[in-house]
Amino acid sequence: MQQYILALDQGTTSSRAIVFDRAGQPVASAQKEFRQLYPRAGWVEHDPDEIWSSQLECAREALRLAGITAAEVASIGVTNQRETTIVWSAATGRPIYNAIVWQCRRTADRAERLSRDMGDRIQSICGVLPDAYFSATKIEWILDHVDGAREMARRGELRFGTVDSWLIYNLTGGRLHLTDRTNASRTMLYDIHRFDWSDELLALFDIPRSMLPEVRPSGAGFGDTAPELFGRAIPIGGVAGDQHAALFGQCCFEPGEAKNTYGTGCFLLMNTGALPIASKNRLITTLAATETDLPEYALEGSVFVAGAAIQWLRDEMGLITSAAESESVARSVHDTAGVYLVPAFAGLGAPHWNAYARGTLVGLTRGAGRAHIVRAALESIAYQTSDILRAMEADTSKTLPHLRVDGGASANAFLMQFQADILGAEVLRPSCAETTALGAAYLAGLNAGVWASRDELRALGGGLTGFRPSMDEGTRNALLDGWRVAVRQCLSGTN
Ligand code: ADP
C-alpha cells in the first residue's frame, strides 16, 4: 500500500527530505547542509553536485528513518530555492559552471540597465521587474564568461535549469528536462500569459530555446525516478518553487488568501485567482502552483529586513540574548512609548521603493528604554507586512480574509497578535511548520490520487493557532499614523 509522500525541499543553505503520511503529518525527516561559495564580494555560488548528492542522501535517509521502502511511496514532490541557475552539457550531464545562487549580485549592473531601459516591457511579459535575482541575467553571464559556451548553446549542446530541473534531470537518470510554471515564472524568460518561453526575452539575452526545459503545471507528472536510486522507480508528481509551495501548503486557494513567511526577511504571496493582476505598487505577478492546467496567479512582495532586525537587536545592539527573548521583553511594556524603528538597513521595498533609505529610530523620549526599542523592532515587522498586504488589497480590490503565517519568527506570539491587531484580520498559524515541504507533498499527493481534492487538503491541515484582532480601531489608526510619520522621516533623509 502506497501510504507515503516524499517531499524534497532543496533550500539555499541545506537540502532536506520529509516523509509525509496520508494525514499530511511528517513521519521522518533528514537534513544536510552544503557549502556556500563566495568567490568574490557579492557573488554566491553552490556546487551543483553537492546540491544533488546532499538531496539524494537526505531522501534515502528520510526513507530509512521512516522505516519504509520505495514501494510504499506513492509520489515525490519537489520544492526548491528559486531562480538559482545551473547550465550543463546535454551530452555529459556535467555542469559547465557552478550554480549561480539567487542572492548573487554579479549581474546587478546589467539588471539595473534593463530595469531603466525596458523594465515595464519585461514585467508585462514575465511578471517580474528586472533584477539580478532572476535567472535570465545569470544564464547570460555564464554564456558570456565560460569558454565556448555561446557556441555550444547555439549548437544545442547546453541545458539550463533552476534547481528543480537539475534535480528532476538527476532523479530521472538524465532522461527528462522539465520545470514547473512557478519556477519558470522566476526566470524572467517565461511569458506568464501564454505559458511559453518568450521569444522576445530569449532574443534579448541571446538564449536559444533548445537550452530551456519543458514547462508543466506544478501538479502534472514529472516522470519516474531511475530505479537504481531508491531500489524502485517512484513517480515525481509535483514541483513548485519554495514560496509558491508554501502558498499551496497553506491552502491559500481562494483569491485574496495570502501567506506570509517570517524569516530573515518576509515573503508574502496572495492568491489573485484566474486573472493576472498588474500591480500599481511594483509587486511581482507570478503563477501560483496548481494541480491542473488551469492557471492561477499570485502577487508577491517581500520585506527585506524582518527577523534580521531581531538578529540586529541581539548581535549589534546587545539588547537581547536570543531571538525568542524578544517576546518577553516586548511584553514587559504596554507599548513602545511612541518609539518607532524603521529597519530600512538595505533600503525600503514595497510599497515605498527607496534603495537609499536607511534604518531610522524615531520618537525617543527620556523614558524610552531597551524594552520599548525591542518592542518597536517586533512591531516594525508587522507594520511592513501590513503595508504590503494593503498594497495587494488595493491592487486586487479584495479584502484579506485572514493571513496564514509560517517561518521562524512566526513562533513569536506577541508578534502574531500584534500582526492581527494591525491588520484587523485573523492570523492563522498551522501546527505543521513545514508548509513548504507540505505544499510539494500536497501537489504530489493530488497527482498520485492519495488525496482527491483541495477540500480534502483543507480538512487535513492539522491544528491551527488563531490570533484574532482585539485592538480597537482608534488605537490601530493612531499606531498606523505614527508608523507613516516614521516612514516619512526615514524617506526624508534620502532626498
Ligand atoms: P530563514 O529561513 O530566513 O533563515 P527562519 O525561518 O529560520 O529564517 O527564521 C529565522 C529568523 O527569525 C531570524 O532572523 C530570527 O531572528 C527570527 N526569529 C526566530 N525566532 C524568533 C522569535 N521567537 N521572535 C522573533 N524573531 C525570531
Side-chain angles (χ1 to χ4, degrees), residues 328-469:
S328 56
V329 175
R331 284 188 198 279
S332 72
V333 287
H334 292 300
D335 53 37
T336 68
V339 175
Y340 286 88
L341 173 70
V342 186
F345 301 146
L348 266 186
H352 312 290
W353 293 112
N354 189 316
Y356 305 102
R358 288 296 173 264
T360 305
L361 189 63
V362 302
L364 291 174
T365 56
R366 179 63 186 80
R370 159 185 179 248
H372 299 110
I373 294 174
V374 170
R375 187 172 170 126
L378 282 173
E379 291 187 358
S380 77
I381 301 175
Y383 289 126
Q384 294 181 92
T385 296
S386 163
D387 283 348
I388 293 186
L389 286 168
R390 295 291 174 238
M392 287 178 170
E393 286 180 327
D395 280 336
T396 57
S397 309
K398 292 247 181 292
T399 310
L400 183 78
H402 48 244
L403 178 66
R404 302 274 189 150
V405 300
D406 51 43
S410 71
N412 190 311
F414 166 80
L415 171 59
M416 294 302 103
Q417 182 58 49
F418 189 77
Q419 185 71 79
D421 287 339
I422 281 303
L423 287 173
E426 192 172 12
V427 166
L428 296 171
R429 187 178 65 195
S431 55
C432 175
E434 306 294 351
T435 53
T436 304
L438 191 60
Y442 280 173
L443 288 162
L446 285 173
N447 180 267
V450 170
W451 298 299
S453 67
R454 291 181 172 195
D455 285 342
E456 203 176 318
L457 297 181
R458 267 202 206 90
L460 291 177
L464 284 171
T465 306
F467 299 86
R468 289 222 170 86

Side-chain angles (χ1 to χ4, degrees), residues 262-264 307-308 310-311 323-324 326 378 407-409 412:
Y262 296 81
T264 311
I310 309 305
Q311 291 168 330
S326 64
L378 282 173
N412 190 311

Side-chain angles (χ1 to χ4, degrees), residues 194-260:
R194 304 161 65 157
F195 315 111
D196 190 12
W197 302 108
S198 156
D199 286 323
E200 180 178 339
L201 295 177
L202 293 182
L204 178 66
F205 297 102
D206 193 10
I207 296 171
R209 217 171 232 277
S210 58
M211 279 185 79
L212 300 170
E214 179 193 328
V215 186
R216 297 186 177 175
S218 304
F222 291 81
D224 293 341
T225 62
E228 61 273 19
L229 292 177
F230 302 108
R232 183 180 186 278
I234 307 174
I236 304 166
V239 174
D242 51 12
Q243 300 304 326
H244 303 259
L247 188 73
F248 202 84
Q250 290 268 24
C251 297
C252 294
F253 300 139
E254 299 298 324
E257 285 190 313
K259 71 92 197 171
N260 190 16

